[in-house]
Amino acid sequence: NAGVTQTPKFQVLKTGQSMTLQCAQDMNHEYMSWYRQDPGMGLRLIHYSVGAGITDQGEVPNGYNVSRSTTEDFPLRLLSAAPSQTSVYFCASSSTGGRLSSGNTIYFGEGSWLTVV
Amino acid sequence: GQQVMQIPQYQHVQEGEDFTTYCNSSTTLSNIQWYKQRPGGHPVFLIQLVKSGEVKKQKRLTFQFGEAKKNSSLHITATQTTDVGTYFCAGRRAGSYQLTFGKGTKLSVIP
């Protein structure tokens, strides 16, 4: 089991460029999400999905798109990168969609460090 | 929207001292989770609390969930250098899929 795999690990973009952060999980989890982590701000939810074909916005969705065509994959697209999107991005997955459950562990990927210049 | 406040933001302790971080939610929570993130690493799940007044222990770590299900704490007894990292709480409201994270408490342990 690889768990949650994110690529790339590091990326430098120029302002205005677009790119996709990839996220894949091999645990057959229904729930997947993207967070960004900035110094002093903790983890903020960008978008999430409770299953294939279903996505919803989190706390900070502007400037990002997601899709969920399969259970395994949940890519995050930056449409036109801005310096304010410089951050560390984490993809996470869990089973049961976050409902009350004794087995409701959230697994995080190792992170993608993005710099927009 | 839901807010989760976590204090303190930073804590420096001598090795062997105890450490506590506190988490307060603006709304009643369905459950609360705790995570640890080592420097340069990713958050790792520690525990989930579900019941009002629940107390759980993991070796030197004690987790509590308040009676009103709006606050929680993590206490580490006799800290070790391996405890270094940032500890996050994350709360979920009933009927919501979203986890709201606190800003974390960064723990430094001086040998």
Side-chain angles (χ1 to χ4, degrees):
Chain A
N1 263 357
V4 180
T5 304
Q6 288 182 235
T7 57
K9 194 169 180 67
F10 300 99
Q11 182 74 49
V12 179
L13 283 180
K14 293 183 178 179
T15 298
Q17 285 185 320
S18 62
M19 78 157 296
T20 299
L21 298 177
Q22 302 290 345
C23 177
Q25 53 90 11
D26 60 1
M27 297 174 281
N28 201 33
H29 284 165
E30 305 97 329
Y31 183 83
M32 296 185 74
S33 54
W34 277 101
Y35 291 86
R36 60 177 289 173
Q37 186 174 33
D38 303 293
M41 297 296 292
L43 290 151
R44 292 183 292 171
L45 182 65
I46 304 172
H47 285 284
Y48 66 98
S49 168
V50 300
I54 306 169
T55 64
D56 208 345
Q57 296 181 349
E59 180 186 355
V60 287
N62 292 342
Y64 307 94
N65 272 358
V66 292
S67 59
R68 185 91 180 271
S69 55
T70 67
T71 299
E72 295 79 18
D73 300 299
F74 191 45
L76 178 72
R77 296 184 190 84
L78 281 70
L79 309 171
S80 177
S84 61
Q85 294 178 304
T86 294
S87 188
V88 183
Y89 291 85
F90 288 100
C91 179
S93 76
S94 74
S95 62
T96 74
R99 288 186 289 276
L100 192 63
S101 166
S102 60
N104 196 17
T105 301
I106 289 191
Y107 297 87
F108 281 85
E110 294 189 349
S112 297
W113 274 253
L114 176 67
T115 301
V116 183
V117 298
Chain B
Q2 179 187 6
Q3 292 187 357
V4 175
M5 309 299 291
Q6 194 174 351
I7 57 169
Q9 190 173 358
Y10 302 96
Q11 186 79 56
H12 306 274
V13 300
Q14 288 285 142
E15 189 172 16
E17 290 182 339
D18 292 355
F19 159 76
T20 305
T21 174
Y22 300 90
C23 189
N24 285 287
S25 171
S26 58
T27 60
T28 302
L29 299 172
S30 171
N31 55 67
I32 194 160
Q33 299 179 356
W34 285 91
Y35 292 80
K36 177 183 179 180
Q37 184 177 24
R38 288 200 163 95
H42 59 280
V44 174
F45 176 85
L46 293 176
I47 208 161
Q48 176 173 270
L49 304 172
V50 174
K51 299 176 183 175
S52 169
E54 188 170 15
V55 178
K56 287 188 175 180
K57 293 190 175 183
Q58 289 180 350
K59 297 182 180 178
R60 292 178 295 105
L61 278 62
T62 302
F63 304 85
Q64 294 189 20
F65 201 10
E67 293 290 340
K69 301 183 74 173
K70 294 181 74 173
N71 57 71
S72 181
S73 65
L74 158 60
H75 179 81
I76 302 178
T77 303
T79 55
Q80 300 174 358
T81 55
T82 53
D83 295 326
V84 164
T86 301
Y87 292 85
F88 292 96
C89 63
R92 181 181 285 113
R93 289 179 299 178
S96 172
Y97 290 109
Q98 295 190 31
L99 263 184
T100 300
F101 280 79
K103 293 185 178 180
T105 296
K106 187 173 182 179
L107 173 63
S108 300
V109 179
I110 305 163

